[in-house]
Amino acid sequence: MIVLNLECHEGHTFEGWFASGTAFEEQAARGLVECPMCGTHQVTRRPTAPYVQTRTAAGSPSPKPQEIAARLINQLREAAANAEDVGERFVEEARRMHHGDIETRGIKGQASGNEIRDLLEEGIAVLPVPPAEKDLH
């Protein structure tokens, strides 16, 4: 996933999460990218500077990629623990929230790989969360 800076023709700026720059271009061409402020689909990509850490604080070693990944997974699990479990209605509920038919809230549930891909292609941000070790047994 990458985060892109976006701007609509009305001048609203916002961020969007996409699988790649190409995924953004394809979704924008299909009218699937929408400004959250005014709802227009006339959205363009703004310059996006990647975050690059050039040095570390004196005496503090850079965290290892495995440590960063573990922290991120733990934060995702915490968010999932506080989300409403909508079970098999996950895909339907995600679409309804995306289209403004229902209030946006944190949800979790089941979706196939193809359903997740379809949601992402529609511009609906979803993220699979790996189960906790205790939940695997």
Side-chain angles (χ1 to χ4, degrees):
M1 283 288 185
I2 61 170
V3 179
L4 300 178
N5 293 324
L6 306 174
E7 182 175 2
C8 78
H9 78 285
E10 296 291 328
H12 302 124
T13 58
F14 56 99
E15 291 182 342
W17 290 40
F18 299 90
S20 66
T22 303
F24 162 74
E25 297 297 336
E26 291 170 355
Q27 290 177 34
R30 292 173 43 206
L32 298 175
V33 182
E34 180 179 296
C35 173
M37 277 67 95
C38 66
T40 184
H41 294 276
Q42 295 177 337
V43 176
T44 57
R45 186 173 168 179
R46 295 189 48 157
T48 304
Y51 173 76
V52 177
Q53 185 172 355
T54 57
R55 62 186 172 109
T56 60
S60 64
S62 295
K64 295 179 179 167
Q66 298 88 343
E67 294 170 351
I68 294 170
R71 279 190 251 159
L72 179 58
I73 289 170
N74 285 335
Q75 289 175 337
L76 290 170
R77 287 179 179 148
E78 285 178 25
N82 295 316
E84 178 186 346
D85 191 347
V86 295
E88 294 177 1
R89 297 186 344 264
F90 178 79
V91 174
E92 174 190 346
E93 292 289 301
R95 281 192 176 112
R96 290 178 64 209
M97 281 189 280
H98 179 73
H99 295 294
D101 297 336
I102 59 173
E103 184 177 336
T104 301
R105 65 194 191 283
I107 62 170
K108 63 183 175 183
Q110 292 86 41
S112 70
N114 287 339
E115 290 171 323
I116 291 171
R117 186 196 68 237
D118 291 346
L119 290 172
L120 291 170
E121 287 177 356
E122 292 173 39
I124 302 171
V126 295
L127 187 62
V129 178
E133 286 292 325
K134 65 181 179 69
D135 297 331
L136 292 174
H137 305 290

